[in-house]
Amino acid sequence: MIHRDEPAGTFLLTGDGFGYALAVEPDGSPRHLHWGAPLDPADPPRLLADADAARIGSNTWSRPRAHTEELVTAGGARFDECALALADAPLDPRFVESEVDGDRLALRLADGPLVVTLRYEVRGPALVRGLELHNTGDEPVTLTRASSATWSVPWQVGYHATTLGGGYAAETTVRRVPLGPGKLVCESRRGIPGHAFQPWLAVDDDAGEDHGELWSVAVAHGGSWRIVAELSGDGHLHLTAGAGDAVLRLSPGARLRLPDTIGVYSPTGRAGLTHRWHDYEREHVLRRPDEVRPVLYNSWEATFFAVGHDDQVALARRAHDLGVELFVVDDGWFTGRDDDRGGLGDWRADPAKLPGGVAALADEVHALGMRFGLWVEPESVNPGTDLYRDHPDWVYRWPGREPTAVRHSYGLDFADPDVREWAFGWLDALVRDGHVDYLKWDLNRSLTDAPGYASRCHEAGFRAVVDRLRAAHPDLWLETCASGGGRADLATLSRFETAWPSDNTDAFERLAIQDGYAFVHSPLTMSCWVTDSPGYLTRRTVPLAFRFHAAMTGTLGIGGRLADWPEADLTAARTFVALYKQIRATVQLGRRWRLRADPDRTAVCHVGQDGGQVVVLVFARTVRQSHLAPPIRLRGLDPDARYRDTTTDVTYTGTFLTHHGLRPVLAGDYASSLVVLTRE
Ligand code: GLA
């Protein structure tokens, strides 16, 4: 809902559980008033008067109100981090007109020929803010900074920033650090969101799991991005968010729409923040938000590049016997792909490996009653392929220099319509002729050998190919992967049913990665596989139950060498998969509550959409005699209800489970427990 107070020049935007207010000042500059709890429509004019009163006390050493500017630009006496900057002129856009359309507000500003439109849209618990640029003049306009929004956080006594990141095989680890005066810059310059940080940042003063306020911002963009948290000397914090830095040239008449940024506020601690992000994703972002994801098998860790028709069929039979519903053949199925040095670009089934082609393998998988999926990496090419020989000009390269190889491949320029046409052509044919139901779309290199703005063009090209493929094959499902979790942003997730959060399938290490992924993203897209132990990345030995339980906190998959699994493990796996199918609607579509998230003990509980089923998963690195079984207090329960443990038949009250807790049976190292409760 948007309320406009015409005489005061204020706007109040109200969503599910939050309010956001701004004003247009008499001189035409937009001013930020509020982001946080919902307000009364009488509040924004009062906030404006109050902000004016605060200005009286300010000195004139610098323009004293950059923190209250709705859009910080480079020009005049402004020295803070700015969202927009021109290369060779100051920028101070002033109000031209506003337009309110339901839950959308557009504020058009202009400075000379450059028209800047601030776009706002209330979407459930989130506010979406974007920005459009239009060069109405006869001369080109060059920008050296083009972020999408400045978000102001209300004044706090202290500030902490929470980020989700780490690196390859350690993505989305939750980190919370105090902010001092100055800037915290979180960014990716890789042409994809990358592994170091999710394009997301949250700020709080003293929030905990169940209490305190948090303000968070995400950039919905699958390319390079940047979020800068700047704490000024007078204790105000603003977040500048958008696509990564680039010199952008707007030719006369050109329009440019910058990526959306999304702001979510929580007054109820981290749990409330997580739930608001999940609600936003489910209601406004994700594809097939109400459909549970199938139990998947992926061949990567079982066969790596040694894909063969008969072996894959044998694997598919074993997977099907465990209850798997979707069988995905990973890398290695196409010509020249015996390792990661060749093949990318020549997307034909290797006749030595798949003599009947992709369709023959797909048909066998279908005959078993499973869906069939295949791995692709459309944006890369290996030198030595026919594609590279025929089109050396399709890769990113600086004039006169050799392109940079990353994992032995070069980057294909998806901004080039010929490249996009080629990519769509073979993907379309592969899906149709190969009887493919599901594609794992990978990218194992960062964008190199191109100027900063190429990241924006590449991302737009990538989206265009994906959108065209989806339109041509409405039943196709897609998984996003970039060496694990390198491309799991909100723009990409709006096009892909599922994501591969990390190559790290060591169940113990993965708990932290999954904890961070599910901090903002719905578990519906969080693909988790049970693989062999010890695994190829860490060589850690983890019991089968722990591996299954860890994967059952998201969308369950299996990725082990099933031929080597002892009969007892196969029997246990069958039971786990069957149990998972009984709880997956709760895990994937219900509310996720973090109970403990430290390396020694992790616990999570999922409460089904109607509150009828509760799934509790507890993990311990080791169980010490002195600390055998501390109770785990549950969250999200109805205090007036009774819950029955479906294994022991013991019934508990909601108050008992909330205030005293469950005592799960744990023993030894890498111990885990799964408890399913039903409301009586
Ligand atoms: C990346 C992916 C893996 C696997 C390999 C195949 O590393 O993250 O899951 O698909 O590529 O080469």
mmCIF file of all heavy atoms in Angstrom, residues 46-60:
data_model
loop_
_atom_site.group_PDB
_atom_site.id
_atom_site.type_symbol
_atom_site.label_atom_id
_atom_site.label_comp_id
_atom_site.label_asym_id
_atom_site.label_seq_id
_atom_site.Cartn_x
_atom_site.Cartn_y
_atom_site.Cartn_z
ATOM 1 N N ARG A 46 5.564 14.354 10.075
ATOM 2 C CA ARG A 46 6.214 14.640 11.358
ATOM 3 C C ARG A 46 7.695 14.268 11.283
ATOM 4 O O ARG A 46 8.563 14.988 11.780
ATOM 5 C CB ARG A 46 5.465 13.840 12.441
ATOM 6 C CG ARG A 46 6.108 13.663 13.765
ATOM 7 C CD ARG A 46 6.410 14.928 14.536
ATOM 8 N NE ARG A 46 5.316 15.882 14.594
ATOM 9 C CZ ARG A 46 5.484 17.212 14.713
ATOM 10 N NH1 ARG A 46 6.703 17.710 14.795
ATOM 11 N NH2 ARG A 46 4.456 18.011 14.750
ATOM 12 N N LEU A 47 8.001 13.163 10.627
ATOM 13 C CA LEU A 47 9.409 12.752 10.459
ATOM 14 C C LEU A 47 10.184 13.797 9.660
ATOM 15 O O LEU A 47 11.345 14.083 9.947
ATOM 16 C CB LEU A 47 9.480 11.416 9.702
ATOM 17 C CG LEU A 47 9.243 10.155 10.519
ATOM 18 C CD1 LEU A 47 9.001 8.970 9.588
ATOM 19 C CD2 LEU A 47 10.456 9.874 11.395
ATOM 20 N N LEU A 48 9.520 14.356 8.675
ATOM 21 C CA LEU A 48 10.175 15.369 7.845
ATOM 22 C C LEU A 48 10.506 16.599 8.681
ATOM 23 O O LEU A 48 11.620 17.125 8.628
ATOM 24 C CB LEU A 48 9.266 15.734 6.670
ATOM 25 C CG LEU A 48 9.836 16.690 5.635
ATOM 26 C CD1 LEU A 48 11.105 16.131 5.005
ATOM 27 C CD2 LEU A 48 8.797 16.956 4.534
ATOM 28 N N ALA A 49 9.527 17.027 9.508
ATOM 29 C CA ALA A 49 9.754 18.200 10.363
ATOM 30 C C ALA A 49 10.876 17.902 11.354
ATOM 31 O O ALA A 49 11.740 18.742 11.622
ATOM 32 C CB ALA A 49 8.457 18.543 11.092
ATOM 33 N N ASP A 50 10.893 16.663 11.855
ATOM 34 C CA ASP A 50 11.906 16.283 12.829
ATOM 35 C C ASP A 50 13.292 16.283 12.185
ATOM 36 O O ASP A 50 14.279 16.710 12.786
ATOM 37 C CB ASP A 50 11.568 14.895 13.368
ATOM 38 C CG ASP A 50 12.444 14.533 14.538
ATOM 39 O OD1 ASP A 50 12.403 15.274 15.537
ATOM 40 O OD2 ASP A 50 13.177 13.536 14.441
ATOM 41 N N ALA A 51 13.350 15.816 10.953
ATOM 42 C CA ALA A 51 14.638 15.798 10.250
ATOM 43 C C ALA A 51 15.132 17.230 10.044
ATOM 44 O O ALA A 51 16.327 17.505 10.150
ATOM 45 C CB ALA A 51 14.484 15.100 8.905
ATOM 46 N N ASP A 52 14.211 18.143 9.779
ATOM 47 C CA ASP A 52 14.609 19.546 9.621
ATOM 48 C C ASP A 52 15.168 20.084 10.924
ATOM 49 O O ASP A 52 16.151 20.823 10.940
ATOM 50 C CB ASP A 52 13.404 20.379 9.183
ATOM 51 C CG ASP A 52 13.153 20.202 7.696
ATOM 52 O OD1 ASP A 52 14.103 19.824 6.991
ATOM 53 O OD2 ASP A 52 12.006 20.422 7.258
ATOM 54 N N ALA A 53 14.531 19.690 12.035
ATOM 55 C CA ALA A 53 15.009 20.160 13.337
ATOM 56 C C ALA A 53 16.424 19.648 13.588
ATOM 57 O O ALA A 53 17.290 20.375 14.072
ATOM 58 C CB ALA A 53 14.067 19.672 14.433
ATOM 59 N N ALA A 54 16.680 18.406 13.204
ATOM 60 C CA ALA A 54 18.012 17.824 13.418
ATOM 61 C C ALA A 54 19.062 18.579 12.619
ATOM 62 O O ALA A 54 20.213 18.711 13.027
ATOM 63 C CB ALA A 54 18.003 16.357 13.015
ATOM 64 N N ARG A 55 18.647 19.120 11.489
ATOM 65 C CA ARG A 55 19.600 19.807 10.614
ATOM 66 C C ARG A 55 20.145 21.089 11.262
ATOM 67 O O ARG A 55 21.260 21.494 11.001
ATOM 68 C CB ARG A 55 18.907 20.140 9.297
ATOM 69 C CG ARG A 55 19.846 20.556 8.233
ATOM 70 C CD ARG A 55 19.314 20.359 6.861
ATOM 71 N NE ARG A 55 17.855 20.500 6.769
ATOM 72 C CZ ARG A 55 17.217 20.469 5.608
ATOM 73 N NH1 ARG A 55 17.890 20.292 4.504
ATOM 74 N NH2 ARG A 55 15.927 20.594 5.555
ATOM 75 N N ILE A 56 19.329 21.687 12.132
ATOM 76 C CA ILE A 56 19.743 22.957 12.745
ATOM 77 C C ILE A 56 21.059 22.787 13.487
ATOM 78 O O ILE A 56 21.940 23.624 13.443
ATOM 79 C CB ILE A 56 18.636 23.466 13.711
ATOM 80 C CG1 ILE A 56 17.407 23.842 12.877
ATOM 81 C CG2 ILE A 56 19.119 24.662 14.527
ATOM 82 C CD1 ILE A 56 16.159 24.056 13.691
ATOM 83 N N GLY A 57 21.177 21.633 14.157
ATOM 84 C CA GLY A 57 22.367 21.415 14.959
ATOM 85 C C GLY A 57 23.594 21.008 14.157
ATOM 86 O O GLY A 57 24.685 20.928 14.686
ATOM 87 N N SER A 58 23.453 20.739 12.884
ATOM 88 C CA SER A 58 24.580 20.224 12.115
ATOM 89 C C SER A 58 25.544 21.343 11.746
ATOM 90 O O SER A 58 25.152 22.486 11.588
ATOM 91 C CB SER A 58 24.074 19.578 10.831
ATOM 92 O OG SER A 58 23.076 18.655 11.134
ATOM 93 N N ASN A 59 26.792 20.987 11.595
ATOM 94 C CA ASN A 59 27.735 22.013 11.166
ATOM 95 C C ASN A 59 27.727 22.078 9.638
ATOM 96 O O ASN A 59 27.007 21.353 8.964
ATOM 97 C CB ASN A 59 29.129 21.738 11.715
ATOM 98 C CG ASN A 59 29.699 20.469 11.116
ATOM 99 O OD1 ASN A 59 29.505 20.188 9.940
ATOM 100 N ND2 ASN A 59 30.400 19.702 11.928
ATOM 101 N N THR A 60 28.518 22.903 9.106
ATOM 102 C CA THR A 60 28.503 23.075 7.658
ATOM 103 C C THR A 60 29.776 22.539 7.020
ATOM 104 O O THR A 60 30.118 22.868 5.899
ATOM 105 C CB THR A 60 28.342 24.569 7.290
ATOM 106 O OG1 THR A 60 29.330 25.293 8.032
ATOM 107 C CG2 THR A 60 26.970 25.078 7.643
#
